[in-house]
Amino acid sequence: METSSEEIRQPVTEHLEELRKRIIRSLIAFAIGTGLCYNYSDRIYQELIRPVMQALPPGSHLVFTELTEAFLTYFKLSLWGGFLFASPVIFYQAWGFISPGLYGKERKLIALFAFWSTLGFAAGTAFAYFIAVPSIMRFFFSFGQTIVTPMPSMKESLSLVLRLLLIFGVMFELPLFLYLIGRGGILSAKSFRKWRKAAVLGSIVLAAILTPPDIVSQLMLAVPLYALYELGIILCAVGERRSKVVLAAPAS
């Protein structure tokens, strides 16, 4: 009886030991990435904040109003950068831990999902950085130049840019999400077509909640969001067809 008990416990112990090692490797990669990013934090900050700097009127510049603001801003940026730097290692360690328990088809689906979701997120952040953020900043800085000179806080400027990058990155995952819904047979493209009016309203409301309270910011989010919804309907229909083909294959 003791032998069978040890045979049950030993694999669990090895499993937990492997998990511990992979977590430690991920934390080491995160620490290294954070240290490297902090070493170049000023340069990284300048690149991230470039859309803000380009929109500033002549004579304006960023400021910090608290003694610790510059340090904490760079440190926060280094943590984000460290995670991005270490993300390949973290995802590799997570994949190495869960992949032995998956079938070949499941591994392929997860790998494809990881690829397309990463691509969608990158496309969203690129859209925000090169199009949305510059337009929003130009709108903000167009006010009050004849009376006051804009002097935005470095902390608030970075927070706004990072928030917009994150929002647009997640927003560009919508087509993939609708494709998976269609592929899984949860809902059909026909259902999403019926909800177009609700999608328009939802895009406007969501934009009003997530973006600063101005019409330009809200339009820069609401219009692409609804366009992605329409693209998602097409991909949902594609997912439906793929699902039907897979279900019909064994019968044939």
Side-chain angles (χ1 to χ4, degrees):
M1 190 68 181
E2 291 181 0
T3 304
S4 62
S5 177
E6 291 177 359
E7 290 174 354
I8 294 174
R9 286 198 302 266
Q10 186 64 27
V12 174
T13 304
E14 292 177 358
H15 207 55
L16 293 175
E17 179 63 21
E18 181 186 1
L19 177 61
R20 186 184 70 84
K21 290 180 180 179
R22 293 189 181 278
I23 291 176
I24 291 174
R25 292 168 189 164
S26 299
L27 290 175
I28 291 173
F30 174 69
I32 293 173
T34 300
L36 288 174
C37 289
Y38 186 78
N39 190 44
Y40 297 98
S41 57
D42 186 60
R43 187 179 303 177
I44 297 172
Y45 181 85
Q46 290 180 26
E47 290 300 321
L48 273 176
I49 217 73
R50 187 181 298 275
V52 180
M53 300 300 297
Q54 291 175 344
L56 279 173
S60 297
H61 53 270
L62 298 180
V63 298
F64 65 90
T65 57
E66 300 176 7
L67 291 177
T68 59
E69 182 174 341
F71 168 75
L72 292 178
T73 300
Y74 285 146
F75 185 69
K76 174 183 176 181
L77 181 60
S78 301
L79 291 176
W80 279 98
F83 176 77
L84 289 177
F85 181 86
S87 58
V89 177
I90 295 173
F91 293 149
Y92 176 79
Q93 295 300 326
W95 177 253
F97 183 72
I98 66 172
S99 60
L102 300 175
Y103 294 107
K105 185 178 180 181
E106 292 172 334
R107 294 178 186 175
K108 183 179 178 180
L109 287 175
I110 292 176
L112 286 173
F113 174 78
F115 172 77
W116 286 110
S117 62
T118 302
L119 186 63
F121 189 86
T125 54
F127 177 86
Y129 184 82
F130 292 106
I131 299 176
V133 175
S135 300
I136 293 171
M137 293 304 165
R138 284 194 295 268
F139 175 80
F140 282 155
F141 294 136
S142 65
F143 293 95
Q145 294 185 30
T146 58
I147 303 175
V148 294
T149 301
M151 294 291 181
S153 163
M154 64 176 298
K155 178 180 70 174
E156 296 300 328
S157 299
L158 178 64
S159 296
L160 179 59
V161 170
L162 290 178
R163 187 174 67 189
L164 290 172
L165 292 178
L166 181 62
I167 289 172
F168 278 90
V170 174
M171 183 180 75
F172 272 63
E173 303 287 346
L174 180 60
L176 177 61
F177 179 68
L178 295 187
Y179 170 80
L180 293 175
I181 288 178
R183 182 69 183 269
I186 300 172
L187 289 171
S188 65
K190 185 178 180 181
S191 300
F192 290 113
R193 293 189 189 102
K194 291 180 180 178
W195 298 338
R196 278 188 168 120
K197 292 182 180 179
V200 172
L201 179 60
S203 299
I204 295 172
V205 172
L206 193 62
I209 295 173
L210 295 177
T211 59
D214 66 276
I215 189 64
V216 173
S217 301
Q218 293 169 9
L219 287 176
M220 291 299 295
L221 179 61
V223 174
L225 182 57
Y226 182 74
L228 290 169
Y229 180 82
E230 290 291 340
L231 175 61
I233 292 177
I234 298 173
L235 293 179
C236 182
V238 173
E240 282 185 81
R241 289 195 292 269
R242 292 287 301 272
S243 179
K244 291 176 181 178
V245 169
V246 171
L247 291 175
S252 61

